[in-house]
Amino acid sequence: MRVRFPLTAPVLNTTSNCSNKVLQFMVLKANAHITSQLRVKMGVQVYYVRRLRFIDDEPVQLEDTWMPVALFPDLSLRDRVNSSFPILN
């Protein structure tokens, strides 16, 4: 599993504006690849989120995220428009 640093960290001390657009937000059943990455059982429900991240209205990152529903049962689309890191704490 890849560890990422928050996109906003490099631009916090600048005048840049960070924003996100959620392109997809759905619940899927974990396939073999996702089960190995998340260490969950096959078929467990996971959130799949595809998010496009912008700096100063320019697209800079396309992000795919999978998270077990059991760990984040109240996750909402609004949560995913904002940063992931407060949710994970």
Side-chain angles (χ1 to χ4, degrees), residues 4-55:
R4 294 177 292 117
F5 294 97
L7 177 65
T8 53
V11 295
L12 280 178
N13 295 324
T14 70
T15 58
S16 298
N17 179 33
C18 296
S19 60
N20 304 297
K21 180 178 181 181
V22 175
L23 304 175
Q24 291 182 287
F25 180 86
M26 61 183 75
V27 175
L28 303 171
K29 291 185 178 185
N31 62 26
H33 175 72
I34 299 306
T35 59
S36 69
Q37 295 297 308
L38 296 181
R39 297 185 182 122
V40 296
K41 293 182 180 179
M42 183 75 83
V44 164
Q45 288 189 322
V46 295
Y47 292 109
Y48 168 67
V49 184
R50 175 165 272 195
R51 184 167 74 156
L52 187 56
R53 308 200 68 195
F54 299 85
I55 296 178

